[in-house]
Coordinates of all heavy atoms in Angstrom, one line a residue:
M278 N -17.6 -10.9 -0.3 CA -17.4 -11.3 1.2 C -16.1 -10.4 1.6 O -15.2 -10.4 1.0 CB -17.0 -12.7 1.3 CG -16.4 -13.1 2.6 SD -15.8 -14.7 2.7 CE -17.3 -15.7 2.7
P279 N -16.4 -9.6 2.7 CA -15.3 -8.9 3.2 C -14.2 -9.7 3.7 O -14.4 -10.9 4.2 CB -15.9 -8.0 4.5 CG -17.3 -8.1 4.2 CD -17.6 -9.4 3.4
R280 N -13.0 -9.1 3.8 CA -11.7 -10.0 4.2 C -10.7 -9.0 4.9 O -10.6 -7.9 4.4 CB -11.1 -10.6 2.9 CG -9.8 -11.4 3.0 CD -9.4 -12.0 1.8 NE -10.5 -13.0 1.4 CZ -11.1 -12.9 0.1 NH1 -10.9 -11.8 -0.6 NH2 -12.0 -13.8 -0.2
I281 N -10.1 -9.6 6.0 CA -9.0 -8.6 6.6 C -7.8 -9.2 6.2 O -7.6 -10.5 6.5 CB -9.3 -8.7 8.1 CG1 -10.7 -7.9 8.5 CG2 -8.1 -8.0 8.8 CD1 -11.1 -7.9 9.7
V282 N -7.0 -8.4 5.7 CA -5.6 -8.9 5.3 C -4.7 -7.9 6.0 O -4.7 -6.8 5.8 CB -5.4 -8.8 3.9 CG1 -3.8 -9.4 3.5 CG2 -6.3 -9.7 3.1
K283 N -3.5 -8.5 6.7 CA -2.7 -7.7 7.4 C -1.5 -7.2 6.6 O -0.8 -8.1 5.9 CB -1.9 -8.5 8.5 CG -1.1 -7.8 9.5 CD -0.6 -8.7 10.5 CE 0.4 -8.0 11.4 NZ 1.0 -8.9 12.5
H284 N -1.3 -5.9 6.5 CA -0.2 -5.4 5.8 C 0.5 -4.4 6.7 O -0.1 -3.6 7.4 CB -0.7 -4.6 4.5 CG -1.3 -5.3 3.4 ND1 -0.6 -5.8 2.4 CD2 -2.5 -5.7 3.2 CE1 -1.4 -6.6 1.6 NE2 -2.6 -6.4 2.0
E285 N 1.9 -4.5 6.7 CA 2.6 -3.7 7.6 C 3.6 -2.6 6.7 O 4.1 -1.8 7.2 CB 3.5 -4.5 8.5 CG 2.6 -5.3 9.4 CD 3.4 -6.1 10.5 OE1 4.6 -6.5 10.2 OE2 2.9 -6.3 11.5
K286 N 3.7 -2.9 5.5 CA 4.6 -2.1 4.7 C 4.0 -0.8 4.4 O 2.8 -0.7 4.3 CB 5.1 -2.8 3.3 CG 5.6 -4.2 3.5 CD 7.0 -4.0 3.8 CE 7.7 -5.4 3.9 NZ 8.9 -5.4 4.7
K287 N 4.8 0.3 4.3 CA 4.3 1.6 4.0 C 4.9 2.2 2.7 O 4.6 3.3 2.4 CB 4.7 2.6 5.2 CG 3.8 2.2 6.4 CD 4.3 3.2 7.5 CE 3.6 3.0 8.8 NZ 3.9 3.9 9.9
L288 N 5.6 1.3 2.0 CA 6.2 1.8 0.7 C 6.1 0.6 -0.3 O 6.1 -0.6 0.1 CB 7.7 2.2 0.9 CG 7.9 3.4 1.7 CD1 9.3 3.7 2.0 CD2 7.4 4.6 0.9
P289 N 6.1 0.8 -1.6 CA 6.1 -0.2 -2.6 C 7.4 -1.0 -2.6 O 8.5 -0.5 -2.2 CB 5.7 0.6 -3.9 CG 6.6 1.9 -3.7 CD 6.2 2.2 -2.2
I290 N 7.3 -2.1 -3.3 CA 8.4 -3.0 -3.6 C 8.9 -2.4 -4.9 O 8.2 -2.3 -5.9 CB 8.0 -4.4 -3.7 CG1 7.6 -4.9 -2.3 CG2 9.4 -5.2 -4.2 CD1 7.0 -6.2 -2.4
V291 N 10.2 -2.1 -5.1 CA 10.7 -1.5 -6.4 C 11.5 -2.6 -7.1 O 12.4 -3.3 -6.5 CB 11.6 -0.3 -6.0 CG1 12.3 0.3 -7.3 CG2 10.9 0.8 -5.3
I292 N 11.2 -2.8 -8.4 CA 11.8 -3.9 -9.1 C 12.4 -3.2 -10.2 O 11.7 -2.5 -11.2 CB 10.8 -4.9 -9.6 CG1 10.1 -5.6 -8.4 CG2 11.5 -5.9 -10.7 CD1 8.9 -6.5 -8.8
E293 N 13.8 -3.2 -10.3 CA 14.5 -2.8 -11.5 C 14.7 -3.8 -12.5 O 15.3 -4.9 -12.2 CB 15.8 -2.2 -11.0 CG 15.8 -1.3 -9.8 CD 15.8 0.1 -10.2 OE1 15.8 0.4 -11.5 OE2 15.7 1.1 -9.3
E294 N 14.3 -3.7 -13.7 CA 14.4 -4.6 -14.8 C 15.4 -4.0 -15.7 O 15.4 -2.9 -16.1 CB 13.1 -4.9 -15.5 CG 12.1 -5.7 -14.7 CD 11.0 -6.0 -15.5 OE1 10.2 -5.3 -15.7 OE2 10.9 -7.3 -15.8
K295 N 16.3 -4.9 -16.2 CA 17.2 -4.7 -17.2 C 16.6 -4.2 -18.4 O 15.5 -4.7 -18.9 CB 18.0 -5.8 -17.5 CG 19.2 -5.6 -18.4 CD 20.1 -6.9 -18.7 CE 21.1 -6.7 -19.7 NZ 21.9 -7.8 -20.1
D296 N 16.9 -3.1 -19.0 CA 16.6 -2.5 -20.3 C 15.1 -1.8 -20.1 O 14.6 -1.2 -21.0 CB 16.4 -3.5 -21.3 CG 17.8 -4.1 -21.7 OD1 18.7 -3.4 -21.5 OD2 17.7 -5.2 -22.2
A297 N 14.6 -1.8 -18.9 CA 13.3 -1.1 -18.7 C 13.6 0.5 -18.5 O 14.7 0.7 -18.0 CB 12.6 -1.5 -17.5
K298 N 12.7 1.4 -18.9 CA 13.0 2.8 -18.7 C 12.9 3.2 -17.4 O 13.4 4.1 -16.9 CB 11.9 3.5 -19.7 CG 12.3 3.6 -21.2 CD 11.2 4.5 -21.9 CE 11.5 4.4 -23.3 NZ 10.6 5.2 -24.1
F299 N 11.9 2.6 -16.7 CA 11.5 2.9 -15.3 C 11.4 1.8 -14.4 O 11.1 0.6 -14.9 CB 10.2 3.7 -15.2 CG 10.1 4.8 -16.3 CD1 9.4 4.8 -17.3 CD2 10.7 6.1 -15.9 CE1 9.3 5.9 -18.3 CE2 10.6 7.1 -16.6 CZ 9.9 7.1 -17.9
P300 N 11.7 1.9 -13.1 CA 11.5 0.8 -12.2 C 10.0 0.4 -12.1 O 9.2 1.3 -12.2 CB 12.1 1.1 -10.9 CG 12.2 2.6 -11.0 CD 12.3 3.0 -12.4
M301 N 9.7 -0.8 -11.7 CA 8.3 -1.1 -11.5 C 8.0 -1.0 -9.9 O 8.9 -1.5 -9.1 CB 8.0 -2.6 -11.9 CG 6.7 -3.0 -12.0 SD 6.4 -4.7 -12.5 CE 7.7 -5.1 -13.6
H302 N 6.9 -0.5 -9.6 CA 6.6 -0.2 -8.2 C 5.4 -1.1 -8.0 O 4.3 -0.9 -8.4 CB 6.3 1.1 -7.9 CG 7.4 2.0 -7.9 ND1 8.0 2.6 -9.2 CD2 8.3 2.6 -7.0 CE1 9.1 3.3 -8.9 NE2 9.3 3.3 -7.6
I303 N 5.6 -2.2 -7.1 CA 4.5 -3.1 -6.7 C 4.0 -2.7 -5.4 O 4.7 -2.5 -4.4 CB 5.1 -4.5 -6.7 CG1 5.6 -4.9 -8.1 CG2 4.0 -5.5 -6.3 CD1 4.8 -4.9 -9.2
C304 N 2.7 -2.7 -5.2 CA 2.1 -2.3 -3.9 C 2.3 -3.3 -2.9 O 2.1 -4.4 -3.0 CB 0.6 -2.1 -4.1 SG -0.3 -1.7 -2.6
A305 N 2.8 -2.8 -1.7 CA 3.0 -3.6 -0.5 C 2.2 -3.2 0.7 O 2.2 -3.9 1.7 CB 4.6 -3.7 -0.2
C306 N 1.5 -2.0 0.5 CA 0.6 -1.6 1.7 C -0.7 -2.2 1.4 O -1.5 -2.2 2.5 CB 0.7 -0.1 1.7 SG -0.4 0.8 0.2
G307 N -1.1 -2.6 0.2 CA -2.4 -3.1 0.2 C -3.5 -2.1 0.0 O -4.8 -2.6 -0.3
L308 N -3.2 -0.9 -0.2 CA -4.3 0.1 -0.5 C -4.4 0.7 -2.0 O -5.4 1.3 -2.2 CB -4.0 1.3 0.3 CG -4.0 1.1 1.9 CD1 -3.6 2.4 2.7 CD2 -5.3 0.5 2.4
S309 N -3.6 0.2 -2.9 CA -3.6 0.7 -4.2 C -5.0 0.2 -4.8 O -5.5 -0.8 -4.6 CB -2.5 0.0 -5.1 OG -2.6 0.3 -6.3
R310 N -5.5 1.2 -5.7 CA -6.6 0.9 -6.5 C -6.2 0.4 -7.9 O -7.1 0.4 -8.8 CB -7.5 2.1 -6.5 CG -8.1 2.5 -5.1 CD -8.9 3.7 -5.1 NE -9.5 3.8 -3.8 CZ -10.1 4.9 -3.4 NH1 -10.4 5.8 -4.2 NH2 -10.7 5.0 -2.2
N311 N -4.9 0.1 -8.1 CA -4.5 -0.3 -9.4 C -3.5 -1.5 -9.0 O -2.4 -1.5 -9.6 CB -3.7 0.8 -10.1 CG -3.4 0.5 -11.5 OD1 -4.2 -0.2 -12.1 ND2 -2.2 1.0 -12.0
L312 N -4.0 -2.5 -8.3 CA -3.1 -3.7 -8.0 C -2.8 -4.4 -9.3 O -3.6 -4.5 -10.2 CB -3.9 -4.5 -6.8 CG -3.9 -3.9 -5.5 CD1 -4.9 -4.9 -4.7 CD2 -2.6 -3.8 -4.8
P313 N -1.7 -5.0 -9.3 CA -0.6 -5.0 -8.2 C 0.4 -3.9 -8.1 O 1.3 -3.8 -7.4 CB 0.2 -6.2 -8.7 CG 0.1 -6.2 -10.2 CD -1.2 -5.6 -10.5
Y314 N 0.0 -2.8 -9.0 CA 0.9 -1.7 -8.9 C 0.6 -0.6 -7.9 O -0.5 -0.4 -7.6 CB 0.8 -1.0 -10.4 CG 1.0 -2.0 -11.4 CD1 0.1 -2.4 -12.2 CD2 2.4 -2.4 -11.6 CE1 0.3 -3.4 -13.2 CE2 2.7 -3.5 -12.7 CZ 1.6 -4.0 -13.5 OH 1.9 -4.9 -14.4
C315 N 1.6 0.1 -7.5 CA 1.6 1.2 -6.5 C 0.8 2.4 -7.4 O 1.2 2.7 -8.4 CB 2.9 1.6 -6.0 SG 3.0 3.0 -5.0
D316 N -0.2 3.0 -6.6 CA -0.7 4.3 -7.1 C -0.5 5.4 -6.2 O -1.1 6.5 -6.3 CB -2.2 4.0 -7.5 CG -3.1 3.9 -6.2 OD1 -2.4 3.8 -5.1 OD2 -4.3 3.8 -6.4
G317 N 0.3 5.2 -5.3 CA 0.6 6.4 -4.4 C -0.3 6.3 -3.1 O -0.2 7.1 -2.2
S318 N -1.3 5.4 -3.0 CA -2.2 5.3 -1.8 C -1.5 5.1 -0.6 O -2.0 5.4 0.6 CB -3.3 4.3 -2.2 OG -4.1 4.7 -3.1
H319 N -0.3 4.6 -0.6 CA 0.5 4.3 0.7 C 0.7 5.6 1.4 O 0.9 5.5 2.7 CB 1.8 3.6 0.3 CG 2.7 4.4 -0.6 ND1 2.8 4.2 -2.0 CD2 3.6 5.4 -0.4 CE1 3.7 5.0 -2.5 NE2 4.2 5.7 -1.5
D320 N 0.6 6.8 0.8 CA 0.7 8.1 1.6 C -0.2 8.1 2.7 O 0.0 8.7 3.7 CB 0.4 9.2 0.6 CG 1.6 9.6 -0.3 OD1 2.7 9.0 0.0 OD2 1.4 10.2 -1.3
R321 N -1.4 7.4 2.6 CA -2.4 7.4 3.6 C -1.9 6.8 4.9 O -2.5 6.9 6.0 CB -3.6 6.7 3.2 CG -4.3 7.3 2.0 CD -5.5 6.7 1.4 NE -6.5 6.5 2.5 CZ -7.5 5.7 2.5 NH1 -7.6 4.8 1.5 NH2 -8.5 5.6 3.3
T322 N -0.7 6.0 4.8 CA -0.3 5.2 6.0 C 0.8 5.9 6.7 O 1.2 5.5 7.8 CB 0.3 3.9 5.5 OG1 1.5 4.1 4.8 CG2 -0.6 3.0 4.7
R323 N 1.3 7.0 6.2 CA 2.5 7.7 6.8 C 2.3 8.1 8.2 O 3.1 8.2 8.9 CB 2.7 9.0 5.9 CG 3.3 8.6 4.7 CD 3.7 9.8 3.7 NE 4.1 9.4 2.4 CZ 5.3 9.4 2.1 NH1 6.2 10.1 2.6 NH2 5.6 9.0 0.7
D324 N 1.0 8.5 8.6 CA 0.9 9.0 10.0 C 0.5 7.8 11.0 O 0.0 8.1 12.0 CB -0.2 10.1 10.1 CG -1.6 9.7 9.7 OD1 -1.7 8.7 9.0 OD2 -2.5 10.6 9.9
E325 N 0.5 6.5 10.4 CA 0.0 5.4 11.2 C 1.0 5.2 12.5 O 2.2 5.4 12.2 CB -0.1 4.1 10.6 CG -1.2 4.1 9.5 CD -1.1 2.7 8.7 OE1 -0.1 2.1 8.8 OE2 -2.0 2.5 8.1
A326 N 0.5 5.0 13.6 CA 1.3 4.5 14.8 C 1.8 3.1 14.5 O 0.9 2.3 14.2 CB 0.6 4.8 16.0
D327 N 3.1 2.7 14.8 CA 3.5 1.5 14.6 C 2.8 0.5 15.5 O 2.8 -0.8 15.1 CB 5.0 1.4 14.9 CG 5.8 2.1 13.8 OD1 5.3 2.3 12.8 OD2 7.1 2.4 14.1
T328 N 2.3 0.8 16.7 CA 1.7 -0.2 17.6 C 0.1 -0.3 17.4 O -0.5 -1.1 18.0 CB 1.9 0.1 18.9 OG1 1.5 1.5 19.2 CG2 3.4 -0.1 19.2
A329 N -0.5 0.5 16.5 CA -1.9 0.6 16.3 C -2.3 -0.4 15.2 O -1.5 -0.7 14.4 CB -2.4 1.9 16.1
V330 N -3.6 -0.6 15.1 CA -4.2 -1.4 13.9 C -5.4 -0.5 13.3 O -6.0 0.2 14.0 CB -4.9 -2.7 14.5 CG1 -5.7 -3.4 13.3 CG2 -3.8 -3.6 15.1
Y331 N -5.2 -0.4 12.0 CA -6.0 0.4 11.2 C -6.9 -0.4 10.2 O -6.5 -1.4 9.7 CB -5.4 1.5 10.4 CG -4.5 2.4 11.3 CD1 -3.3 2.0 11.7 CD2 -4.9 3.6 11.6 CE1 -2.5 2.9 12.6 CE2 -4.4 4.6 12.4 CZ -3.0 4.2 12.8 OH -2.3 4.9 13.7
V332 N -8.2 -0.1 10.1 CA -9.1 -0.7 9.1 C -9.3 0.4 8.0 O -9.8 1.5 8.4 CB -10.4 -1.2 9.7 CG1 -11.3 -1.7 8.7 CG2 -10.0 -2.2 10.7
Y333 N -9.0 0.1 6.8 CA -9.4 0.9 5.7 C -10.5 0.3 4.9 O -10.6 -0.8 4.5 CB -8.1 1.0 4.7 CG -7.0 1.8 5.4 CD1 -6.1 1.1 6.1 CD2 -6.8 3.1 5.0 CE1 -5.0 1.9 6.7 CE2 -5.7 3.8 5.5 CZ -4.8 3.1 6.3 OH -3.7 3.9 7.0
D334 N -11.5 1.3 4.5 CA -12.8 0.8 3.9 C -13.0 1.9 2.9 O -13.6 2.9 3.2 CB -13.8 0.6 4.8 CG -15.1 0.0 4.0 OD1 -14.9 -0.3 2.9 OD2 -16.2 -0.1 4.7
G335 N -12.6 1.7 1.7 CA -12.7 2.8 0.7 C -11.9 4.1 1.0 O -10.7 3.9 1.4
D336 N -12.5 5.2 1.2 CA -11.8 6.4 1.7 C -11.8 6.5 3.1 O -11.2 7.5 3.7 CB -12.5 7.6 1.0 CG -12.2 7.7 -0.5 OD1 -11.2 7.2 -1.0 OD2 -13.2 8.3 -1.2
K337 N -12.4 5.7 3.9 CA -12.6 5.7 5.3 C -11.4 5.0 6.0 O -10.8 3.9 5.5 CB -13.9 5.2 5.9 CG -15.0 5.9 5.4 CD -16.3 5.2 6.0 CE -17.5 5.3 5.0 NZ -18.5 4.5 5.3
R338 N -10.9 5.5 7.2 CA -9.9 4.7 7.9 C -10.4 4.9 9.3 O -10.7 6.0 9.9 CB -8.5 5.4 7.7 CG -7.5 4.7 8.6 CD -6.1 5.3 8.4 NE -6.0 6.6 9.2 CZ -4.8 7.1 9.3 NH1 -3.7 6.6 8.7 NH2 -4.7 8.3 10.0
V339 N -10.2 3.7 10.0 CA -10.6 3.7 11.4 C -9.5 3.0 12.2 O -8.8 2.0 11.7 CB -11.9 2.8 11.7 CG1 -12.2 2.7 13.2 CG2 -13.0 3.4 10.8
K340 N -9.0 3.7 13.3 CA -8.0 3.2 14.2 C -8.7 2.4 15.2 O -9.5 2.9 16.0 CB -7.2 4.4 14.8 CG -6.1 3.9 15.7 CD -5.4 5.2 16.2 CE -4.3 4.7 17.3 NZ -3.7 6.1 17.7
L341 N -8.3 1.1 15.4 CA -8.9 0.3 16.5 C -8.1 0.5 17.8 O -7.1 0.8 17.8 CB -8.8 -1.2 15.9 CG -9.4 -1.5 14.6 CD1 -9.4 -3.1 14.4 CD2 -11.0 -1.1 14.6
Ligands
LIG422 S1 2.6 0.7 -1.7 FE1 0.6 0.5 -1.8 S2 -0.1 2.1 -3.0 FE2 2.0 2.3 -2.9

């Protein structure tokens, strides 16, 4: 079943854990193909207009 979920963030949530070698990057844009982790897919949101609404479906993006 398709579902529309609103995401406004364009960058991951960075979690610094004590004794961890690297910070954890949690996807906040909703586009990662490796949820809950960021895979860099948020780069696709960089040219989004703040007042527009976009629909992402796989590799496709439509501006409403
Ligand atoms: S924040 Fe979603 S892929 Fe990076």
Side-chain angles (χ1 to χ4, degrees):
M278 170 187 286
R280 177 174 298 118
I281 295 175
V282 179
K283 182 178 175 184
H284 292 272
E285 295 180 337
K286 302 285 187 200
K287 295 182 176 182
L288 292 172
I290 297 165
V291 179
I292 299 174
E293 306 269 358
E294 287 190 287
K295 186 179 174 185
D296 300 328
K298 286 185 179 178
F299 305 102
M301 192 179 329
H302 292 77
I303 303 299
C304 177
C306 75
L308 298 176
S309 175
R310 293 183 176 169
N311 189 31
L312 289 170
Y314 305 105
C315 171
D316 69 355
S318 294
H319 59 265
D320 284 345
R321 297 173 67 196
T322 69
R323 289 183 189 242
D324 64 345
E325 290 179 347
D327 288 340
T328 56
V330 175
Y331 297 84
V332 175
Y333 290 84
D334 184 8
D336 291 333
K337 295 181 217 160
R338 179 177 82 170
V339 176
K340 181 179 176 184
L341 301 180

